[in-house]
Amino acid sequence: YQATKVPVGEDQRQHLELTRDIVRRFHDIFCKGNQFKKRCKKAGIPSRPTFTDPDPIIMKDGARVMSLTDGTNKMSKSDSNDNSRINVLDPPDVIRNKVKRCKTDAFEGIEWDNPERPEATNLLTIYAAVQPDRTKEDIIEEVKDMNWGQFKPLLADAIINHLEPIQKRYYEVRNDEEELNRILKEGAD
């Protein structure tokens, strides 16, 4: 689809770099020089590069979200335990149950960046990621005196509110076959 920007996690950067290397090599071999331009002109096609050389989009905050069942392991869709992650299309009741059951700790209060509390840091990172207009300081001020029973419903609601427009648009497009084909065709051109 000739994407110029590709959102990837820091741990996926090397895969995008490999793609960029392949694109550049292909263009160096097959898309440069007069011979290529003459063949394109004769065939009546543009002599622009065949593939787009994509740039990575890597978010600084929230780029590495950890598992809901273990705050020291990365959240992954390949984890066999579906409760370890929030899926983009999870319905609100499923999100609430996953958040309600996610691993926390026995410490009082909620704090960020304490190495002894990876689950607290992870849940606060998720909370911040789904509310990009808020600052870390603002969030800490809001939650510092809460316990997990008070914070988890807030987190679930924030995730649900963040995913709602994405899910709504997904189902609008998915349920309209004509629009879906138009979008796919437009992306392929």
Side-chain angles (χ1 to χ4, degrees), residues 38-154:
K38 286 177 184 174
R39 279 184 286 160
C40 287
K41 188 173 185 176
K42 187 176 182 180
I45 57 175
S47 62
R48 66 184 187 325
T50 305
F51 302 109
T52 301
D53 190 353
D55 290 317
I57 299 173
I58 301 175
M59 292 177 53
K60 306 252 186 293
D61 295 324
R64 181 166 290 221
V65 177
M66 309 311 276
S67 169
L68 296 177
T69 56
D70 180 357
T72 61
N73 289 329
K74 193 173 131 258
M75 188 180 282
S76 172
K77 63 181 180 255
S78 62
D79 190 325
S80 60
N81 183 355
D82 191 54
N83 289 320
S84 70
R85 65 188 168 272
I86 302 291
N87 299 302
V88 173
L89 297 177
D90 279 346
D93 59 325
V94 171
I95 293 172
R96 281 191 179 84
N97 283 333
K98 286 180 178 183
V99 171
K100 184 190 281 187
R101 293 186 178 123
C102 71
K103 185 178 177 189
T104 55
D105 55 43
F107 292 98
E108 279 193 38
I110 300 175
E111 61 180 332
W112 222 315
D113 296 328
N114 181 342
E116 294 179 25
R117 303 186 69 188
E119 285 79 16
T121 296
N122 184 44
L123 296 181
L124 286 167
T125 300
I126 294 169
Y127 191 57
V130 297
Q131 300 180 91
D133 55 322
R134 297 193 58 196
T135 65
K136 188 174 180 176
E137 293 74 25
D138 175 41
I139 290 171
I140 290 171
E141 186 61 34
E142 177 190 9
V143 304
K144 68 180 179 187
D145 297 323
M146 290 184 180
N147 61 38
W148 291 117
Q150 296 166 316
F151 177 69
K152 285 182 176 183
L154 277 179

Side-chain angles (χ1 to χ4, degrees), residues 155-179:
L155 174 60
D157 288 342
I159 294 169
I160 291 164
N161 290 337
H162 182 74
L163 293 178
E164 182 181 33
I166 298 166
Q167 293 174 348
K168 182 180 178 204
R169 181 66 179 139
Y170 170 84
Y171 288 115
E172 284 173 0
V173 171
R174 192 71 185 107
N175 292 329
D176 184 350
E177 188 101 7
E178 195 173 296
E179 176 69 357

Side-chain angles (χ1 to χ4, degrees), residues 17-42:
E17 289 303 322
L18 175 62
T19 302
R20 292 167 55 101
D21 289 345
I22 292 169
V23 166
R24 289 174 186 148
R25 180 75 174 133
F26 182 91
H27 290 161
D28 284 347
I29 293 172
F30 298 107
C31 299
K32 285 190 173 176
N34 289 335
Q35 183 181 10
F36 174 75
K37 288 181 180 177
K38 286 177 184 174
R39 279 184 286 160
C40 287
K41 188 173 185 176
K42 187 176 182 180

